[in-house]
Amino acid sequence: QHKEALSECLWVERGPLHALVTSSGDKTLRVHARSGKTLSDWVCCAVLQGHTEQLCGCAAALDDDGILTIASVSLDKTARVWTSLLPFAELLQQRVKAGQAMSGWTVTLLEGAKVSPHGGDTRVVFCPTDEALLAVTTEKAVQVWERWDGDNKDKIPDAKAPKWEKSVELGGFEGYVNSV
């Protein structure tokens, strides 16, 4: 359970598999999976920690191989990208125990993505047709980031995190960018 209010709740699905991704003021992201046939049968299968301030929002995408990637933005003025090392079906079988350290994920800090505390509803979003493209609002600009998998294409468990590079910054806005 989150200990603070939710800032985002996203539905992720692939065929019969369903998950909810939540971000919160408690500085964490959580992935929740349906564990039974009734509407109340949900369990937490991942808790992602690393931000030092409350989260403002998140975005989630599944690639063609069924790998879940989550982007998060926080009042600590950072954006991070979390990539599961497990395929979606296996990830949803995981169960988090109290005090358990985060495992099975890589995390990448988007260097130079200075997230503004002045934001609106959507501060981070994956491209709907290409999960390797990500847009992040940063004060008076929108940055577009691109994932480079390199040698990580096979998604082996000990692989390094995918590399994310800023490909363009769209600026020229007079006021703060509140949403993408």
Side-chain angles (χ1 to χ4, degrees):
Q1 300 277 342
H2 284 291
K3 294 176 176 62
E4 300 283 336
L6 294 182
S7 56
E8 193 83 54
C9 180
L10 307 170
W11 191 264
V12 180
E13 64 181 295
R14 167 85 34 104
L17 302 173
H18 304 279
L20 288 173
V21 176
T22 56
S23 62
S24 168
D26 67 7
K27 308 173 198 170
T28 67
L29 291 158
R30 293 178 185 257
V31 179
H32 310 270
R34 196 158 180 195
S35 62
K37 294 183 180 183
T38 69
L39 291 176
S40 61
D41 294 333
W42 288 82
V43 295
C44 183
C45 52
V47 177
L48 308 177
Q49 300 173 313
H51 285 287
T52 59
E53 296 290 335
Q54 70 185 35
L55 278 90
C56 307
C58 62
L62 277 171
D63 70 13
D64 292 337
D65 297 324
I67 299 298
L68 178 63
T69 301
I70 303 169
S72 59
V73 291
S74 167
L75 290 182
D76 64 12
K77 298 184 180 180
T78 65
R80 297 172 191 262
V81 180
W82 314 78
T83 304
S84 174
L85 295 174
L86 297 173
F88 194 52
E90 289 179 45
L91 170 65
L92 299 185
Q93 297 300 314
Q94 302 295 304
R95 300 297 178 260
V96 173
K97 296 174 181 68
Q100 180 179 3
M102 180 184 84
S103 63
W105 293 81
T106 63
V107 60
T108 304
L109 176 67
L110 298 184
E111 297 290 340
K114 297 194 184 336
V115 177
S116 170
H118 308 284
D121 296 334
T122 306
R123 298 179 192 192
V124 60
V125 64
F126 284 98
C127 174
T129 58
D130 186 351
E131 76 286 338
L133 293 174
L134 176 69
V136 179
T137 62
T138 60
E139 295 196 352
K140 297 182 180 181
V142 174
Q143 294 178 346
V144 177
W145 293 76
E146 188 170 0
R147 183 185 69 216
W148 297 92
D149 289 322
D151 295 332
N152 191 31
K153 199 62 181 161
D154 294 332
K155 308 281 192 246
I156 55 176
D158 59 347
K160 291 166 47 176
K163 183 177 181 181
W164 287 84
E165 292 182 353
K166 181 171 59 171
S167 58
V168 68
E169 184 164 320
L170 308 171
F173 300 101
E174 291 183 23
Y176 288 106
V177 178
N178 291 323
S179 190
V180 286

